[in-house]
Amino acid sequence: MKLTQILLSTLAVAAVNARPETSIAGIQSLAKRLFQGHDAQFEFQLTQEHENWSRWNIPGNDNYTVSSKEGKIHVQGTTLSALARALRHYANDVLNIDQHWFVDSVYEIPEHLPPPKEPLTGASSVPWRYNLNTVTFGYTFVWYSWSDWEKLLDWAALRGVNLQLAWVGYEKIFLDSFLQLGMKQDDILDFFSGEAFQPWNRFGNIHGTWGGEGGLSIEWINQQFELQKRIVARMVELGITPVLPGFPGFVPAALKKLRPDADIVHAPVWANVPENNTATLFLNPTDKTYAELQSLFIKNQIKEFGNITNVYTVDQFNEINPSSGDTKYITDVSSSTYEGITAANPAAIWLMQGWLFYSSQSFWTQQRVDAYLAGPPGKDDMIILDLFSEVEPQWQRTMSYSGRPWIWCELHDFGGNQALYGRVTNVTQNSVQALRESRSLVGYGLTPEGYEGNEVVYDLMLDQAWEAAPINTVDYFRTWTRNRYSAAESIPEDVFSAWEQLRLHAYDVQDDVVASVGVSIYQLFPSLEGLTNRTGHFPPPTVLPYDPNAMKSIWRLLYHSTIDAPSLLRVPAFHLDFVDVTRQVLGNAFINIYTELVNEFQANANATVIRNLGNSMLSFIKDIDTTLNTDKHFTLRQWLDSAKYWGQSTGAPDAVAFNARSQVTVWNSKSSILDDYAAKAWSGLVRSYYGKRWEIFVDSLVSAREHGTALNETAMKDKIHQFEISWQYRGFNSETCDKIQDIRDVAKSLIKRWPAAFT
């Protein structure tokens, strides 16, 4: 069957029958990186049980054993992914260490690695462990270098990921394919959006650039494509099947001149973006030109990367509906799309995000869902990602996606927002329940729009894929905490208590009122109303799903632990987590500061009172910025420095700087829907951007009281918008604090200056 062919394809880049010593080379290198050069103490054996693998054989999919044999640590597994997962099992249980992604992992490896006292075994409960959302390549990965990708790929492999989106460098395939069709290079380049907005260009939501900055440079396109070659080669070495992009159908306007008879229509306007940047042209897949282009896309990738996958991602209606609701038309689109893919790769499987069935539920009736998913002829010809399973599962509503194979996914985070948040009960219990109830469920996966923290919930989702029953989250959090901080000389019990409290409050949200990671009010456009108690997932929620006093208690436990065990703060992961909890406590406290100012203004307090309260608010914002500046992960500087590297290497520094600053603030100045959607709690951004907006707000309130008038909201908004636009064009100015301070000194100062925030 096709799914078996895909699993086999992960065993080697060129062929599935590669020699065992060649096929495990990537796992040997993984062990070398994880165990700091001590890989020679491991012996790997890749069994052939996977040849009889069936996705209906639950939970007997991948399995592994780690044992002692003739003086070596013997690792046996049915797949490369199982071998990689086995390495992490050994690291966690025998050495009490773990390797992380967002932060440097610090641990000591003994010269002679101890064998496990008893064999360590594991078996996956689902055949596919999927990773990444299309838009993650904008919100998180846009400025990633090879060293960043290497760290991410190791992280994924060690957790058993064996199916992952590979979107980097897509524009090169797009460019070459349209050039081969006969289009001019400039016409194609004009279609592309800026570096930080490429995912939505690929979705057909937008096209072209804005703000007066140029489009993608050829240097950027070529360098990203070279990076993609390294990424997919490493993925295959680690047993991760790359999901490569197919051609969805969105085309440059110049195609109408080249192929005047082609069936081309305008997609709907997206997110109120001006029509010169949206209403993208869509080439009907039933048109022969579509088939020609789809074949070029697939063949060009096979030529460049080798025959490394049979899975291709195509999303045609992401937050934009088809031009017709006629079921025959919808089926024709789907079947023609699949025919185009299989013309180049007969074994192809179409993977698509199921987000459209949630975001446009009124359009996607069961009849239309059935019609769209009926296009590919074979049952196994598609895999659907149930993108938001932990909050808005669509598999029940769609009859398990009309019986197609589908993957239960944790979306969790929109735009890379940073509040402490998770739904661990849903992730562990609901996923297992779905596996029992739906015969066509074939995997668990991660689909956050952006990764900015909350790493424990992602580990939990991927680890659940290796357990038949729901994971006991109490035990899990304690073990996870131990391994995360293992480099510390000692871990006080208060640290474990803090994480248990985090599990109970921030990470076990069960009320759908808060559907995703939220933001703090200081990150939003200033207003007298509409900022507090926001629910749902868009606009980002601001209501707290727990008692704020619980977060204060958690902070105090961690703070006192740093006094009892000073070495904790030398562990990068603990340092990051302590700053993160401090950030959350301050963000929560801002609600009261803001509310007091608004209440006093609405009660007609005089200008002096408003000025004093406003100055206190602005001082509080500066202290948030100072706090964030104690850890590089929470800095605008890190984002801009990464962008600057690409801007200098591709010769387009101004455009890259504009894109980098725009994505985390104002997307397109003529459409405000997505402003602050990807809001970040970053030092520099808080100080120079959010703080300035609130300063204008405070000045406007004071002015209104001084003149005895109502707040002139129009004038205030105009002034803030003018500032926002000027900030976008400030280039690579990183807006840092004057001095980076020690978090211990900052914490002591915060307690004295803002006692109500912590007690």
Side-chain angles (χ1 to χ4, degrees), residues 210-213 654 657-658 661-662 669 723-732:
W210 53 81
E213 294 298 338
D654 292 340
F658 178 81
R661 297 173 79 91
S662 296
S669 61
F723 159 73
E724 290 174 334
I725 294 171
S726 68
W727 191 92
Q728 285 178 281
Y729 286 91
R730 292 183 68 172
F732 283 120

Side-chain angles (χ1 to χ4, degrees), residues 135 137-139 142-143 171 192-210 216 220 270 639 655-656 658-668 674 678 728:
V135 300
F137 289 78
Y139 289 127
V142 56
W143 314 124
E171 284 65 31
F192 295 142
S193 297
E195 296 85 358
F197 301 98
Q198 288 174 342
W200 301 273
N201 182 228
R202 297 163 181 172
F203 270 148
N205 300 137
I206 60 174
H207 60 269
T209 59
W210 53 81
L216 295 185
W220 165 271
W270 178 74
W639 174 258
V656 170
F658 178 81
N659 273 268
R661 297 173 79 91
S662 296
Q663 194 215 83
V664 297
T665 55
V666 176
W667 275 41
N668 187 311
L674 294 171
Q728 285 178 281

Side-chain angles (χ1 to χ4, degrees), residues 111-375:
E111 189 65 29
H112 298 286
L113 296 175
K117 295 179 180 179
E118 299 290 338
L120 306 175
T121 62
S124 67
S125 59
V126 287
W128 294 111
R129 285 81 63 186
Y130 174 82
N131 194 28
L132 305 185
N133 186 316
T134 300
V135 300
T136 320
F137 289 78
Y139 289 127
T140 302
F141 302 150
V142 56
W143 314 124
Y144 264 29
S145 63
W146 170 242
S147 62
D148 299 314
W149 275 106
E150 187 172 47
K151 191 174 183 180
L152 163 59
L153 295 176
D154 282 357
W155 177 90
L158 289 166
R159 284 150 179 81
V161 168
N162 63 353
L163 187 65
Q164 180 167 294
L165 206 56
W167 262 112
V168 177
Y170 168 77
E171 284 65 31
K172 174 65 172 173
I173 296 299
F174 190 107
L175 177 63
D176 287 351
S177 298
F178 275 85
L179 286 174
Q180 289 168 307
L181 194 70
M183 286 189 63
K184 296 179 180 178
Q185 179 171 289
D186 288 347
D187 291 334
I188 305 168
L189 294 178
D190 286 345
F191 175 77
F192 295 142
S193 297
E195 296 85 358
F197 301 98
Q198 288 174 342
W200 301 273
N201 182 228
R202 297 163 181 172
F203 270 148
N205 300 137
I206 60 174
H207 60 269
T209 59
W210 53 81
E213 294 298 338
L216 295 185
S217 68
I218 291 296
E219 290 78 13
W220 165 271
I221 292 172
N222 289 336
Q223 289 182 30
Q224 287 285 296
F225 189 62
E226 291 303 312
L227 179 58
Q228 170 78 336
K229 289 180 180 179
R230 299 184 72 178
I231 291 169
V232 297
R234 177 62 61 82
M235 288 173 70
V236 173
E237 289 177 4
L238 294 174
I240 303 174
T241 297
V243 180
L244 295 177
F247 171 54
F250 302 102
V251 299
L255 181 63
K256 292 195 293 185
K257 296 179 181 179
L258 181 67
R259 299 288 176 92
D261 296 330
D263 184 2
I264 299 174
V265 298
H266 281 280
V269 170
W270 178 74
N272 284 353
V273 172
E275 287 204 24
N276 61 316
N277 286 122
T278 186
T280 305
L281 291 179
F282 181 69
L283 174 64
N284 195 324
T286 61
D287 191 280
K288 63 180 182 180
T289 301
Y290 178 91
E292 190 175 350
L293 281 165
Q294 186 68 270
S295 181
L296 286 170
F297 270 63
I298 304 302
K299 287 180 178 178
N300 283 337
Q301 291 181 91
I302 293 174
K303 176 184 176 183
E304 294 288 350
F305 307 139
N307 188 20
I308 60 170
T309 186
N310 294 327
V311 189
Y312 299 92
T313 180
V314 175
D315 290 290
Q316 298 167 316
F317 303 117
N318 179 69
E319 299 178 355
I320 51 177
N321 291 337
S323 59
S324 171
D326 179 74
T327 54
K328 182 180 183 306
Y329 167 77
I330 292 172
T331 299
D332 287 345
V333 167
S334 180
S335 60
S336 297
T337 298
Y338 187 70
E339 288 171 4
I341 298 173
T342 53
N345 182 351
I349 287 181
W350 176 2
L351 180 140
M352 61 175 290
Q353 297 189 166
W355 180 253
L356 71 167
F357 302 128
Y358 164 67
S359 65
S360 302
Q361 290 186 48
S362 60
F363 178 89
W364 289 105
T365 62
Q366 185 62 47
Q367 188 179 23
R368 287 173 177 161
V369 171
D370 289 341
Y372 192 50
L373 300 185

Side-chain angles (χ1 to χ4, degrees), residues 603-676:
N604 293 316
N606 62 42
T608 300
V609 171
I610 299 302
R611 172 58 72 189
N612 289 339
L613 289 173
N615 285 343
S616 180
M617 171 193 283
L618 298 177
S619 180
F620 191 83
I621 290 174
K622 289 180 180 179
D623 281 350
I624 294 175
D625 191 273
T626 299
T627 302
L628 296 169
N629 202 42
T630 61
D631 193 292
K632 66 179 182 180
H633 179 81
F634 298 101
T635 62
L636 175 65
R637 179 179 62 254
Q638 179 170 261
W639 174 258
L640 291 182
D641 284 351
S642 298
K644 188 175 183 179
Y645 164 80
W646 286 104
Q648 292 175 336
S649 65
T650 61
D654 292 340
V656 170
F658 178 81
N659 273 268
R661 297 173 79 91
S662 296
Q663 194 215 83
V664 297
T665 55
V666 176
W667 275 41
N668 187 311
S669 61
K670 296 181 181 179
S671 173
S672 61
I673 289 181
L674 294 171
D675 290 359
D676 299 314

